[in-house]
Each structure stands twice: as structure tokens, then as C-alpha cells.
Amino acid sequence: MAIDQKMQRRDFLKHTGHAVLGGSAALAFPQTCRSAEAADDRPNIILIMTDDQGYGDLGCHGNDKIRTPNLDHFASESIEMSQFCVSPVCAPTRSSLMTGRYNYRTGVVDTYLGRAMMHSDETTLAEMLSKAGYRTGIFGKWHLGDNYPLRSIDNGFQESLVHNGGGIGQPADPPGNKYQDPILQHNGEAKQYKGYCTDIFTDAAIEFIQKNKKRPFFVYLSTNAPHTPLQIDEKYYKPYLDMGLDETTAKVYGMIENIDDNIGRLMKKLDRLRLSKNTLVIFLTDNGPQQERYVAGFRNRKGSVYEGGIHVPCYIRWTGTFQAGKQVDRMAAHIDIVPTVLEICGAQADTNHKIDGKSLLPLLKGDKPNWPDRTLFFQWHRGDEPILFKQCAARSQRYKMVNGDELYDLQNDPGESTNIAAENPEILAKLRKEYDDWFADVSSTRGYAPPRIQLGTPYENPVILTRQDWRGPEAGWGKDSLGYWEVEIMTPGTYEIRFRFLPLAEDARAELQLASAAGVLKLPKGSTDCTFSGLRLEPDEARLEAKLILSEKTIGVNYVDVIKTD
């Protein structure tokens, strides 16, 4: 189990003479947490998050083209958080959703090139609930690290069926992986499955619920749909083509309709198992839509800190406890989910880490709580670390500062059409100051050096490095990209390192550099791999460089397999 793995890792690091940075979150809780035997009255938790589904991608939000009957019905049974915001892109949202902390505290600043790896000393919701006696399972997209100690199974999830990287078919995946019959990672082992990815993830979640119906469980169903590539059976998207929609929108809507079908199946399973009244179900999305389409009047889309990029649907259902059909208009965000769930479940927060969010339970219970206005912060742009006032927003209940010099009155202008900064300099100055203080605070938490992928542990061997997590000024996903990996060699021993790459169009040579180990191999035209054997390595923090030297350029490889052989 994941919690046990973290505890074992502490012992492993102790015995090998390595410092334990930050400590294991699983050990940070007081002994007052209730055991599984005493937790039967606590609700199960199902957290559903879809990928690149915007606020306007629901029938109940005024979209008269899309067909989402199950989600619309779910919305009618739920409380809607109508002013709910997330980060402009997926991995930052996911780190905040799992920790209750702003993503810049966790090490996650972007979606790829080593910037979407969350430090393993962060405490996840899965770890907190595991410690409180919950069974925990993730099904779908993790996107916070593919290698030990950054995987979902290393961070609180006892059952894990996920894809690598940010999406199926990306460079973190095996070559040629698709949404149909995909290769997925089941508890750290690659396995090919039959069927469509969203169906597979939902089937696995339902099976997990069935197995754990007699004890509290936490299910994180995080679909990679409707993220690109837009792959879905024609039966789902053809009706939208027949409506006259363009092919891209038709396929997105078809993928969402498939999600809707699966959520319908999941809700019916809860009913059949008589679990609906004791299960808290939360539905949200990770950011705005990737492509241009109906956005319910909001400005811009994914990647933007305008409302179209960060304002998403959020519905919370607890049948028989929360009032169905209620709307809460108080501003809330991804960082609020962890403290809300912890309070509902009676679970302990990690006292070693500051939680930025606030429990929404007083609002959800229907009270009229004292709920002071607050300012929440959102920022994202490409790069290894954020830049002050670049692509940022500070949002209070009514006003929103964007990029330091724009101000919008969201109460009267939710579409952010009129910049009122000139008429309200004092409001702008206040939000600028709050943002400036926040930026300094989150940046001082740990800085922006990336987590290191660990080599030579008993928890992952071989370690497969991909272009998802390499770094450097020339790193990318193109065929001529060149990057490196920041790693830590954990144990002394003999290692074998294999390069895998596209067939060479000419004779070339491969060059390896890793701490004290270096090597050069000659490669004939047509080669697709090579292996450096018998490498003696000592514990060290190092940079792994894997290069292909061609006649006119130097490029990187696609995969590096690191195997401890002794």
C-alpha cells in the first residue's frame, strides 16, 4: 500500500545514510485519528474531475447542443458552487486539489518538461484519508510524476490505474498508445486494457467501490477526456456533426457525452449498493476548454487567468444531508476541497504543511456563517519558475486584478469586458499588494528547484525516464529536442542504462553522462536503441544526459531505462 511504501522509504533512506527531506506525511498525524473499525459512519468520498471540460460544456449551463443528461441530473441533486475557480492548466490544479495548497508551494509550475512533478514530502488528500482508515483509489489522470517517489502509489493511493504524463499518447506513454485499448499503469505495472479509456477507468472505480462497500473509501476518478487527442467512437460524435458543428467541437462533445454515460453508470451503482446517502460526490473540471466553443459568456479559455480559463463547474452532492438544487455564490477554489473533505470525514490535516484553502462546510450545511471576503490567486505561464505579475490574477468576491494593470467588476461584468482600473486605483493597488505578498510567500516555501527522480530503490526498477520530465533550454517534444533529467542515485551498485530512440537516418554515436559514469557508443544507421552496461554508481545527486551525436546536430533520445543489476 502507498502509505506503507512511504514508511518503508523512510527506513530505506535511513539505512542508506540519506536525509529524509520534509518527512513522510503519513507519519505527521496525531494518534487521535479514528481507525477503520470506528469509521463506518463517515461518508465515502468520490471526487470526479474531467480534463479540459469548460464551464459551458454542460447542458445545465445553457449549452443547447451538448447532451449531458446524467450530469444535469446530478447537478439538480447537488449544491452548485457557482463561483468556483481552478488554475489555468491541469497539473497545477491537480497539485492544489490533492494538497489544499497553492501549486507553487508544491513544486508544480507547469504541465511538462519536469515542471509537473510534485515534491514527495507534500501530503495528499489520499494520505490523510488513508491514515484515517479510508481505502483510497485513483482511476485516470495523476499528472504529478511518473517515477518514484512521485507516483500516485507513492503518495497515498492504495489502488491506482492511471496513464503516464499529462495524457494518453504523449511522450511519457509507450509509443503509439491510444484511447482505445490503452496501455495503463496498474499499481506501477504497465498493462494493456481492452476498451475505451474513460470506460476502463469507470469500470475500475466501480469495481473498487464494490470491493470496499463495507468500509469508507475515497475514489478519485480523473478522466483524461475530453483532452486531446480527440479520439472517440463515431457513434458519439456523429450526432453533433449532423447538427452542423465542426469536427473538433463534435468530437469534444462526443467525449463529454461518453463521460456523462459513465457518470450515470457510477451513480446507478451507488444506488444499487445503497451507498448514495453515505457518499459525498464532488464533480469539477481542471480548467477551461482548450478549443474555441461555447463558454457561457466568459472571456478566453484554457491557459488564461480570465474567467474562461479558471472558472469551472463544481457540484457537491451528499444525498439527504446537503440541500439539493442549492446555489452558493461565495467564491471558492481547488485549494478548498481538501479542508472541506477533511472536516466532513473527521480526518486530521498534516500539521507540517500550511493548507491555503478553507473548509466550505459551513456554506454547504445551509447555515448563514460569518464568511469574510478573501482574495484568491491564480497564475500560470511556461517556464521553470513564475515571474512576478506575468499571467496572474488576484480575485476577491467582486473584483479581479489581472496582470497587475487590469481590474474587473465581476459582479456587474462577469465577462470581463471593461477594465475599470483607471476609475478605481485604490482597489487595484490593494489587490496588487495582496498578490505581491502572496507571490513572495509561495515562492519562499521551497523555491522552484525540481524534485529529483530516484534511481536504485527497491520501489522502481527499472526506472523509465521520458521527455515528460526532462529539462533544459532545448528540451521539448520535437524530434530534434535535447534535454536532461535531474536524478538522485540512492544506492551504490552496478547499473545498466539503455537509450531508446527513433530509427537513425545515418551513422551516429550515443553519449551518456551520469555522475562519475560516462560512455560513448558507435551506432549504425537504422539503430533504435543502445545499452551502456556495467556502470558503477555511488549515491549522488546528478544530471543524466543522453545524447545522439549526428553529423549536423545533437539530439536527445525518447526514453532512458535505468536498471540496477546487482
Side-chain angles (χ1 to χ4, degrees):
M1 297 194 314
I3 290 292
D4 294 336
Q5 281 190 345
K6 271 207 169 179
M7 295 172 69
Q8 292 166 6
R9 178 163 63 89
R10 287 174 63 91
D11 294 337
F12 168 70
L13 293 173
K14 248 186 238 179
H15 293 146
T16 54
H18 286 261
V20 182
L21 299 179
S24 169
L27 301 182
F29 300 103
Q31 295 303 310
T32 56
C33 292
R34 289 183 290 179
S35 67
E37 291 77 9
D40 292 344
D41 60 325
R42 292 178 293 171
N44 307 305
I45 307 296
I46 298 179
L47 178 58
I48 304 170
M49 185 163 71
T50 62
D51 195 354
D52 289 359
Q53 181 177 1
Y55 185 89
D57 293 331
L58 288 171
C60 59
H61 284 172
N63 190 327
D64 61 359
K65 299 292 192 298
I66 199 166
R67 300 187 298 195
T68 54
N70 293 300
L71 279 167
D72 296 345
H73 180 68
F74 176 81
S76 72
E77 297 180 325
S78 305
I79 294 175
E80 178 182 11
M81 302 301 301
S82 64
Q83 299 292 319
F84 193 89
C85 293
V86 295
S87 295
V89 290
C90 48
T93 291
R94 292 163 200 281
S95 66
S96 293
L97 191 68
M98 286 292 101
T99 64
R101 287 156 57 81
Y102 283 110
N103 59 286
Y104 287 158
R105 298 193 192 280
T106 72
V108 176
V109 298
D110 196 4
T111 61
Y112 75 148
L113 302 186
R115 306 168 189 149
M117 299 190 294
M118 186 169 74
H119 284 278
S120 63
D121 66 335
E122 290 291 323
T123 312
T124 68
L125 179 58
E127 288 174 299
M128 299 179 215
L129 292 179
S130 291
K131 185 65 176 177
Y134 277 69
R135 291 292 296 169
T136 60
I138 179 174
F139 309 95
K141 181 171 179 174
W142 169 242
H143 199 190
L144 297 173
D146 294 333
N147 298 104
Y148 180 83
L150 312 174
R151 303 165 299 177
S152 58
I153 58 173
D154 307 318
N155 290 280
F157 285 101
Q158 300 154 353
E159 179 72 15
S160 173
L161 180 64
V162 297
H163 60 74
N164 279 336
I168 292 176
Q170 293 183 4
D173 252 357
N177 209 22
K178 297 183 182 299
Y179 284 38
Q180 187 69 30
D181 301 337
I183 297 172
L184 303 170
Q185 304 295 317
H186 180 230
N187 296 335
E189 298 293 331
K191 176 182 174 182
Q192 186 159 20
Y193 287 77
K194 289 291 185 183
Y196 185 69
C197 55
T198 307
D199 302 337
I200 294 167
F201 294 136
T202 307
D203 286 343
I206 288 173
E207 181 180 356
F208 179 83
I209 290 168
Q210 177 74 47
K211 287 181 178 178
N212 295 285
K213 62 185 178 181
K214 294 184 178 180
R215 62 179 297 177
F217 58 77
F218 168 45
V219 166
Y220 181 27
L221 177 58
S222 179
T223 70
N224 54 298
H227 193 291
T228 55
L230 304 180
Q231 299 174 1
I232 185 69
D233 192 281
E234 185 180 13
K235 71 179 182 181
Y236 276 106
Y237 72 83
K238 188 176 184 303
Y240 296 106
L241 288 177
D242 294 342
M243 292 181 195
L245 298 178
D246 63 90
E247 184 176 350
T248 294
T249 304
K251 287 186 174 180
V252 170
Y253 285 3
M255 294 169 82
I256 293 171
E257 188 171 333
N258 172 261
I259 291 170
D260 187 81
D261 285 349
N262 279 290
I263 289 176
R265 289 200 297 126
L266 181 59
M267 295 303 106
K268 287 176 182 176
K269 185 66 174 181
L270 293 179
D271 290 341
R272 286 195 294 271
L273 294 175
R274 298 182 179 179
L275 293 175
S276 295
K277 287 190 176 181
N278 197 37
T279 302
L280 178 77
V281 186
I282 303 172
F283 172 84
L284 72 158
T285 72
D286 65 345
N287 45 248
Q290 181 177 8
Q291 307 86 3
E292 288 189 7
R293 56 181 181 269
Y294 175 76
V295 291
F298 291 137
R299 179 175 175 179
N300 223 316
R301 57 187 191 274
K302 176 182 178 178
S304 166
V305 292
Y306 293 109
E307 292 295 282
I310 65 172
H311 192 143
V312 301
C314 179
Y315 288 95
I316 302 175
R317 190 189 83 171
W318 191 358
T319 303
T321 300
F322 290 162
Q323 180 183 339
K326 177 182 176 181
Q327 186 178 90
V328 174
D329 70 350
R330 297 300 88 186
M331 181 182 55
H334 44 22
I335 57 174
D336 298 325
I337 296 299
V338 164
T340 302
V341 170
L342 292 180
E343 184 173 4
I344 288 171
C345 297
Q348 297 284 339
D350 172 19
T351 56
N352 289 338
H353 292 84
K354 173 184 177 180
I355 288 183
D356 294 302
K358 183 176 181 179
S359 173
L360 304 174
L361 185 57
L363 298 173
L364 298 170
K365 288 193 303 185
D367 300 339
K368 295 182 179 179
N370 179 21
W371 194 264
D373 196 9
R374 57 179 174 155
T375 302
L376 299 177
F377 306 94
F378 308 92
Q379 183 168 5
W380 172 78
H381 53 82
R382 296 293 188 201
D384 289 338
E385 58 185 78
I387 298 171
L388 190 68
F389 284 109
K390 181 176 181 181
Q391 186 67 358
C392 67
R395 190 189 194 277
S396 67
Q397 183 67 31
R398 179 172 179 178
Y399 295 104
K400 181 178 176 184
M401 179 274 290
V402 176
N403 298 334
D405 58 2
E406 300 172 43
L407 183 67
Y408 299 96
D409 181 349
L410 297 179
Q411 180 175 302
N412 297 303
D413 181 23
E416 298 168 292
S417 61
T418 304
N419 181 2
I420 61 170
E423 298 85 357
N424 298 274
E426 70 289 345
I427 297 175
L428 180 65
K430 177 180 181 293
L431 291 172
R432 280 179 59 95
K433 175 65 165 57
E434 290 176 332
Y435 163 77
D436 204 346
D437 291 345
W438 169 83
F439 187 91
D441 180 26
V442 295
S443 297
S444 69
T445 303
R446 63 168 79 244
Y448 296 103
R452 291 181 178 272
I453 296 168
Q454 295 183 4
L455 310 178
T457 78
Y459 308 111
E460 186 183 25
N461 190 34
V463 174
I464 301 175
L465 305 176
T466 76
R467 293 184 173 203
Q468 168 69 23
D469 295 325
W470 69 354
R471 298 175 69 87
E474 299 177 75
W477 288 357
K479 61 183 180 64
D480 294 339
S481 297
L482 176 63
Y484 53 80
W485 292 267
E486 299 288 3
V487 300
E488 183 175 8
I489 303 159
M490 301 304 295
T491 53
T494 304
Y495 290 76
E496 178 179 289
I497 298 179
R498 180 188 181 204
F499 295 177
R500 289 183 280 149
F501 41 86
L502 298 175
L504 294 174
E506 58 180 277
D507 292 347
R509 70 178 188 273
E511 291 187 358
L512 166 70
Q513 182 68 56
L514 172 60
S516 60
V520 178
L521 293 174
K522 292 183 178 180
L523 303 175
K525 177 181 177 180
S527 296
T528 57
D529 65 90
C530 64
T531 300
F532 298 83
S533 300
L535 302 172
R536 184 69 190 177
L537 297 174
E538 298 294 328
D540 197 3
E541 291 185 350
R543 177 173 292 178
L544 193 158
E545 298 181 69
K547 300 178 181 178
L548 298 174
I549 313 300
L550 308 177
S551 59
E552 296 184 354
K553 58 188 174 183
T554 298
I555 63 174
V557 302
N558 295 79
Y559 306 92
V560 176
D561 306 326
V562 181
I563 307 166
K564 191 171 187 294
T565 57
D566 58 1

